[in-house]
Amino acid sequence: MTQRAYNFSAGPAVLPEPVLARVQQEMMALPGPRASILEISHRSPTFKEIIGAAEANVRKLLSVPENYSVLFLQGGSRLQFSMIPMNLLTNEKKSADYIVTGSWGKHALKEARKEGEINVAWDGGDEKYTRLPTSDQLTLDPNAAYLHYTSNETIHGVQFPGEPEVGDVPLVCDASSDFLYRPLAIERYGLIYACAQKNLGPAGVTIVILRKDLLERSRDELPGYLNYKTHAEAGSLMNTAPTFAIYVVRLVTDWLLNDLGGLEKMYTQNQAKAAMLYEAIDQSEGFYSGHAQADSRSLMNVVFRLPSEELTVAFLAQAEKSNLTALGGHRSVGGIRASIYNAMPVAGVETLRDFMVDFNRKNH
Ligand code: PMP
């Protein structure tokens, strides 16, 4: 079998090895149906148990209160960029606030504008998305239907360490690339969503956690699939659910609960992993330069540059040879991006750190 690399892909991304081993072991047949997860009905008792366990795990990991629904949807986070304004803007509350700290917030804003009046509370584009806003820089509307922000900007490596203060306006968060990286106070959110393919599982399923009173805003005229209320009432089984993806989400959340021991421990490990790489950047005497300002740095996507394009190409080629893969930055930012999600082993980050120190020594 091919040896596994340390895979720093931004998404779809690394999964925990015990999860992959379990998938492999169960791929021919699950006990009960004696068929694989790919071959059984989304309405079978086996799948109902799987989706129930996935939801229960997420509820347990984040202590999700009873007055919140947990939905498993399709269409990726991109579809949420439209579903959120379609469902949450109303005749009384026609306008929403958006904080834009990177490319994904900008995409969300563009889609929302098709649905209603949107106020840009802050946009870091003029500074190339290198930092978070301070609270006094936000232009907030106290009557907004909601405030949308991106907790972790996957491309620019800019992350909110906590929730922005927005008073009583429901907070709506795109947590696609940092979901379950730390414990959260879910009651602070109106809605939080994440596509699975970074921190939660494979591509194909998107999780949405929303406060149940917000379901009242969903108009009956909305297309059925685009209406949160339809999904909440159907327990995410309005139509054929992405069964395989949900099955893997169940295994990943089992791993977080049982192998890792919960989100406090995960968070401590994530802080330690990110600190190793930022230290290598900060101690490189200017050889590596981080994209984000120090107080806005992401624990999930470490984005940095080398002094020249030539050195960047050499860095990537030598990293590949050292079993460190998918480190190229997003085409809009360039440089290097090391995505170090929950499932990236500490040993993988240590190997990358040592490689960075060594490459600097040889090329500075
Ligand atoms: N938001 C963020 C923060 C993302 O990183 C991504 C995917 N890279 C998306 C939204 C879009 O997700 P999807 O491709 O599942 O629609």
Side-chain angles (χ1 to χ4, degrees), residues 81 96-113 118-134 137-140 147-153 156 158-160 164 172 174 296:
F81 293 170
D97 286 352
Y98 276 65
I99 300 177
V100 183
T101 51
S103 298
W104 290 107
K106 209 169 153 190
H107 287 307
L109 170 71
K110 187 173 162 212
E111 294 304 320
R113 281 191 160 137
I118 305 298
N119 164 49
V120 179
W122 191 78
D123 187 332
D126 289 347
E127 296 171 48
K128 300 202 164 91
Y129 298 122
T130 48
R131 69 169 178 95
L132 299 167
T134 55
Q137 288 170 330
L138 299 177
T139 321
L140 297 174
L147 175 127
H148 181 282
Y149 75 108
T150 313
S151 52
N152 183 59
E153 280 286 352
H156 294 88
V158 167
Q159 186 177 34
F160 282 84
V172 172
D174 176 359
S296 305

Side-chain angles (χ1 to χ4, degrees), residues 10-12 75-81 103-105 107-108 148 150-155 174-178 193-198 203-206 301 330 337 341:
S77 285
R78 287 263 189 179
L79 184 56
Q80 294 312 306
F81 293 170
S103 298
W104 290 107
H107 287 307
H148 181 282
T150 313
S151 52
N152 183 59
E153 280 286 352
T154 323
I155 293 174
D174 176 359
S176 293
S177 50
D178 66 1
Y193 65 103
C195 49
Q197 67 269 21
K198 293 150 200 306
V205 66
T206 299
N301 310 97
H330 187 270
R337 169 172 55 174
Y341 300 121

